[in-house]
Amino acid sequence: MADLCGGITLEMLKEAWETVRSSPLGVINTPMIPWSQTTLQLDGPACNIHIKLENMQRTGSFKIRGVANQFARRPAGGHFVTMSAGNYGKSFAFASKHYKSKGKVVMPETAPVSRSVLIQSFGVEVERVPNSGMMDAVNRCVQEENMTFLHSYDDMDLIAGHASLGFELLEAVPRPDVVVVCCGGGGLLAGVAAALKLSGCQGTRIYGVEPDGACTMFKSFMEKKPVGMDTKSIASGLAPPFAGALPYELCQRYVEDIVLITDEEIKSAVSTLYGAGLLVEPSGSAAFAAVANGRIPDIAGKTVVVILSGGNIGKDELVHFPD
Ligand SMILES: Cc1ncc(COP(=O)(O)O)c(C=O)c1O
């Protein structure tokens, strides 16, 4: 397979960081707190855990970082289309309103109607289609209406924007031994891993975490190429049908390993975090679930950073989680 991302450099990622930092979208340098500050005890080997609170990010997830860089690098007043049922769609809609660009989000008809309503409230059009028809709907918009497609995880500008989280992480915890990041299509993991490794953190082990029912990056590592599968998980943000081609290239270069967790472990992590006063959605809790359930090897006595990637969860959804 051709090397898709040989051109990635520290300078390019730093430039994107500057774009994200100064973005008119108001991207937040989110807090990093030591787990001990929560006063909750965690089972397992004693280690020095820090959590990065992207659940407190503008629009409720890290996605706004990549979106800020994507929009800054596209012509103003463009007409964009994307495919998303969740956090990317929300950030895309928020940015479209700000940049006064026309936008459309193609969404699976199984997504909650409240999601469509929220996205439409930013002035962005929503087209609800059957799952299998999403790509066709996007292609129609590109070919017949001349819209530009923005990908929600397989896009270098987006990944470079996500890398800003890696740089911020190093400002707060300069020498992490281990960094744990959840993985859907792999954009976040790829961006954070590239920022750390290109900044010289050769000794830092970076782990990706996927639900066992939606483990496209895990399978891609096994098959040595980006692959897809029928995915199913309570963490819908971690369950796109394919691993991204660019994220795969970067992850196989910079990521130590991909570990798997179950949906039950994710649910219990959501509850534990809630008990610590942190509202985190299932996708956003996956990295924490991996640490809490002993999936990350050799962490005793180590400095471990865990990213909580999003907090978009409704009160109605929370009732399904264990006490
Ligand atoms: C909260 C949250 N975390 C993680 C992810 C996964 O991101 P990526 O597709 O870049 O791996 C998503 C994707 O929607 C998400 O919403």
Side-chain angles (χ1 to χ4, degrees):
M1 178 179 211
D3 183 0
L4 297 171
C5 46
I8 191 169
T9 62
L10 183 61
E11 288 66 37
M12 173 188 149
L13 298 186
K14 287 249 166 106
E15 197 185 312
W17 184 21
E18 195 43 52
T19 303
V20 171
R21 256 202 292 217
S22 57
S23 168
L25 299 178
V27 180
I28 297 164
N29 182 342
T30 52
M32 172 88 84
I33 62 166
W35 177 257
S36 56
Q37 197 171 312
T38 69
T39 69
L40 271 190
Q41 289 292 329
L42 270 189
D43 294 339
C47 59
N48 186 14
I49 298 176
H50 296 261
I51 47 178
K52 174 80 171 154
L53 303 182
E54 283 295 291
N55 57 321
M56 296 175 71
Q57 185 54 268
R58 187 163 311 269
T59 73
S61 83
F62 74 94
K63 287 278 183 185
I64 194 70
R65 294 174 180 273
V67 165
N69 198 42
Q70 270 182 323
F71 274 74
R73 280 166 212 284
R74 301 295 188 289
H79 195 176
F80 302 113
V81 59
T82 194
M83 208 163 45
S84 167
N87 286 330
Y88 181 83
K90 189 173 173 187
S91 291
F92 171 94
F94 181 76
S96 298
K97 179 168 184 191
H98 179 88
Y99 282 99
K100 298 189 174 46
S101 52
K102 282 171 74 179
K104 183 193 251 193
V105 177
V106 174
M107 210 182 252
E109 58 194 7
T110 47
V113 173
S114 58
R115 278 288 164 149
S116 311
V117 173
L118 176 75
I119 285 171
Q120 283 162 330
S121 75
F122 290 107
V124 164
E125 197 186 334
V126 170
E127 183 178 343
R128 294 173 69 92
V129 298
N131 246 318
S132 56
M134 303 242 305
M135 204 60 233
D136 285 347
V138 167
N139 286 337
R140 243 189 338 271
C141 293
V142 171
Q143 279 152 21
E144 293 169 19
E145 297 180 57
N146 210 17
M147 295 187 202
T148 304
F149 178 44
L150 294 186
H151 204 289
S152 61
Y153 55 84
D154 206 355
D155 176 296
M156 192 52 105
D157 290 333
L158 180 90
I159 293 169
H162 293 337
S164 62
L165 203 162
F167 294 124
E168 272 177 29
L169 182 163
L170 290 179
E171 282 188 333
V173 181
R175 292 194 195 292
D177 296 306
V178 173
V179 174
V180 191
V181 189
C182 61
C183 178
L188 174 64
L189 176 61
V192 170
L196 265 66
K197 292 294 171 174
L198 292 173
S199 294
C201 296
Q202 300 315 330
T204 302
R205 286 178 283 135
I206 302 164
Y207 291 90
V209 181
E210 291 189 312
D212 56 4
C215 52
T216 55
M217 192 61 80
F218 178 82
K219 282 184 188 288
S220 300
F221 270 41
M222 305 275 279
E223 297 189 27
K224 302 201 181 332
K225 60 174 192 218
V227 298
M229 65 184 277
D230 280 338
T231 56
K232 191 168 179 332
S233 172
I234 186 168
S236 54
L238 305 186
F242 290 97
L246 275 170
Y248 166 73
E249 288 282 325
L250 290 164
C251 289
Q252 54 97 30
R253 195 181 299 180
Y254 298 130
V255 169
E256 186 83 10
D257 205 0
I258 307 290
V259 303
L260 303 183
I261 47 164
T262 66
D263 272 10
E264 287 313 307
E265 288 166 338
I266 291 177
K267 285 189 195 174
S268 141
V270 170
S271 295
T272 305
L273 291 166
Y274 186 78
L278 298 164
L279 192 59
V280 188
E281 64 187 276
S283 300
S285 309
F288 178 77
V291 174
N293 288 283
R295 296 295 147 74
I296 310 296
D298 186 25
I299 57 171
K302 301 283 178 357
T303 297
V304 179
V305 174
V306 176
I307 293 169
L308 306 182
S309 58
N312 286 312
I313 181 167
K315 211 158 91 185
D316 49 333
E317 291 170 79
L318 273 176
V319 297
H320 303 299
F321 293 86
D323 287 337

